[in-house]
Amino acid sequence: MSRIRLRTTLVAALAALTVSTPPSQAASPAVEPTVEEARLDRAVPREILARSGFDTVAPEFAAALGGAGSYAAAERAVVRHASRLWQRAVDRTQGRGPARGDLSRDDDRPLYWARLAMTRELRSWEPGFTLSPAARARLLDRLETASRGQDAIRFPAGKGVKRVLMTGFDPFTLDRDIRISNPSGAAALALDGTLIRTADGRLARVETAVFPVRWADFADGEVERTLRPHLPRVDAFTTVSQGRVGRFDIERFNGAWRGGFGDNENVSEKGLVPVSDPASQPQWTTTTLPYAKIVAAGTGRFPVYDNTSVTEVPAGGTAPVVRPEGPTPGSAARAGGGGDYLSNEIAYRATLLRDRLGLADLPGGHVHTPVLQFGAGNTGAVTDPEFLRNRADITSQVRSVIAVAAAGS
């Protein structure tokens, strides 16, 4: 048998062994999974992975890691498989290639759970060479950015097509309901790399990325690292997340405050949003999206609101006050229109970056989608007709909102 055939046979055998290993035994006993990774052992994530065909992602990745004899080889395997995961999720959503399962093609959850299965494999991997904790952390970072589309944002050259950057989020509040999907993540997969006709009749290319629901990643500057290279070259940007029931909101004001709600690692952070150069950090940033045009445009079946409400501690005051018409001069932020969680924070960071880059005329800001709801009485199934209709309608309306935003104010 040739060395190539022998290597192929061994890799295939390793993959088969990994596939047959129950998820609860996938991680090394010496390595504790993260809070997010530990949820993989529950029935719903396993069902979502199996019904989408994404249950093969982690075993194939483990096999590739098993064949890596150096850090460089491991990094190549990480980037290759993580990038493939992002593209596979985008292709599945946009109807390219086989569906590989009966789960709806526009589902964002297979990407989320498959990524976690990959990070658990990488975290517990025991290579045949010395791998320091710092080197493993670098590999985990490469896996995260590549599987989220963050390093695959590529706009066409020239001036014939407008450029729009959109971001979404992972599912969250999974301890409340493990079945949760995030319509902003689903919209990101549906729109990535697509051309849309803007409200002024021109074409726009949309590029997207998805962000984690984790305080630490934001404090580490993940938003700024991803957006900084692109904001000077785009015609509009919008951060998108799931917000309130039955409505879209264009969030007018974003506040520099973390309210303490637990993230996907069940970590709570409360206090001023940590950014570089805190001495010049404003308490508030403002949307530059054409909110009046978006509200008036009739973008879909859900009503759209220009949300100006914030919570502040007024100048000279000590107690928080709700201001329906926006912040007053000298006040301290306690919640933007988008709240005091990571939706507000990504909006604050993105618009602060816009301002610090001197892009005051660039349309950009935050859009909250409706909460994605299951049908009445569905307390256990991972999908149902109303759930599918709601997600499709939200994605369609996000596309329409972007079409108006890209046309300018």
Side-chain angles (χ1 to χ4, degrees), residues 227-239:
L227 301 187
R228 184 177 287 108
H230 306 290
L231 288 195
R233 302 193 302 116
V234 301
D235 297 287
F237 72 90
T238 180
T239 54

Side-chain angles (χ1 to χ4, degrees), residues 219 224 272-279 281-282 345 348-349 352 356:
E224 292 81 358
L272 198 65
V273 170
V275 298
S276 62
D277 192 15
Q281 178 180 12
E345 183 159 333
Y348 177 83
R349 289 180 178 276
L352 177 61
R356 286 181 167 180

Side-chain angles (χ1 to χ4, degrees), residues 69-401:
S70 66
Y71 176 86
E75 184 175 34
R76 287 193 295 271
V78 166
V79 173
R80 181 172 67 254
H81 283 262
S83 300
R84 185 182 299 168
L85 173 60
W86 171 257
Q87 193 58 52
R88 179 174 169 181
V90 170
D91 288 345
R92 189 178 194 275
T93 298
Q94 296 183 16
R96 292 186 290 270
R100 299 181 185 177
D102 68 342
L103 202 64
S104 174
R105 295 188 74 120
D106 65 342
D107 204 309
D108 61 304
R109 295 172 295 179
L111 170 64
Y112 175 71
W113 292 112
R115 181 192 303 115
L116 287 175
M118 289 178 68
T119 62
R120 185 160 74 170
E121 291 289 354
L122 180 52
R123 206 180 303 278
S124 61
W125 173 50
E126 297 180 1
F129 58 92
T130 300
L131 184 69
S132 69
R136 193 185 298 268
R138 287 195 298 273
L139 292 176
L140 284 163
D141 182 66
R142 295 303 306 275
L143 192 161
E144 286 277 343
T145 57
S147 66
R148 294 180 176 282
Q150 292 176 6
D151 56 6
I153 299 170
R154 296 180 180 87
F155 289 102
K159 298 182 179 180
V161 176
K162 288 192 171 186
R163 302 169 180 86
V164 179
L165 182 58
M166 176 225 160
T167 67
F169 271 108
D170 287 346
F172 65 110
T173 62
L174 294 157
D175 290 332
R176 177 172 61 82
D177 188 344
I178 194 70
R179 303 173 300 159
I180 280 175
S181 162
N182 194 320
S184 69
L189 293 174
L191 296 178
D192 186 53
T194 63
L195 288 172
I196 64 172
R197 183 71 63 179
T198 67
D200 60 357
R202 296 178 62 184
L203 286 176
R205 166 72 171 261
V206 183
E207 290 286 317
T208 71
V210 173
F211 283 87
V213 183
R214 296 190 297 250
W215 294 112
D217 296 72
F218 277 47
D220 191 45
E222 183 173 339
V223 172
E224 292 81 358
R225 282 195 303 274
T226 302
L227 301 187
R228 184 177 287 108
H230 306 290
L231 288 195
R233 302 193 302 116
V234 301
D235 297 287
F237 72 90
T238 180
T239 54
V240 183
S241 66
Q242 179 175 252
R244 301 168 180 90
V245 174
R247 59 185 279 178
F248 274 79
D249 287 283
I250 313 302
E251 305 297 356
R252 185 89 72 89
F253 303 103
N254 316 297
W257 188 256
R258 295 178 155 190
F261 190 76
D263 64 10
N264 275 353
E265 289 287 334
N266 293 338
V267 172
S268 176
E269 294 285 348
K270 189 171 185 177
L272 198 65
V273 170
V275 298
S276 62
D277 192 15
S280 66
Q281 178 180 12
Q283 286 292 305
W284 306 98
T285 63
T286 306
T287 189
T288 45
L289 292 173
Y291 50 86
K293 287 188 175 182
I294 295 172
V295 169
T299 50
R301 74 176 172 98
F302 296 102
V304 183
Y305 295 90
D306 167 25
N307 184 28
T308 59
S309 181
V310 301
T311 302
E312 66 174 18
V313 176
T318 58
V321 176
V322 175
R323 299 289 192 191
E325 301 304 320
T328 57
S331 67
R334 286 300 178 268
D340 56 12
Y341 195 40
L342 288 162
S343 294
N344 168 77
E345 183 159 333
I346 198 170
Y348 177 83
R349 289 180 178 276
T351 50
L352 177 61
L353 179 62
R354 174 204 63 200
D355 296 343
R356 286 181 167 180
L357 290 173
L359 303 170
D361 295 329
L362 175 64
H366 194 75
V367 175
H368 258 131
T369 76
V371 173
L372 180 55
Q373 295 179 303
F374 290 98
N378 178 3
T379 59
V382 300
T383 188
D384 62 46
E386 184 173 344
F387 177 79
L388 296 179
R389 173 177 177 252
N390 287 338
R391 185 165 59 200
D393 286 352
I394 291 171
T395 293
S396 176
Q397 196 160 348
V398 169
R399 182 184 289 107
S400 297
V401 167

Side-chain angles (χ1 to χ4, degrees), residues 7-63:
R7 177 183 175 83
T8 302
T9 302
L10 289 173
V11 170
L14 178 58
L17 285 171
T18 309
V19 169
S20 64
T21 303
S24 61
Q25 299 175 15
S28 166
V31 179
E32 288 292 327
T34 67
V35 171
E36 281 188 284
E37 291 166 355
R39 298 188 184 105
L40 282 162
D41 296 332
R42 297 171 65 176
V44 165
R46 295 171 70 175
E47 178 184 350
I48 288 170
L49 289 172
R51 292 181 60 185
S52 61
F54 279 53
D55 53 346
T56 64
V57 169
E60 291 167 357
F61 177 56

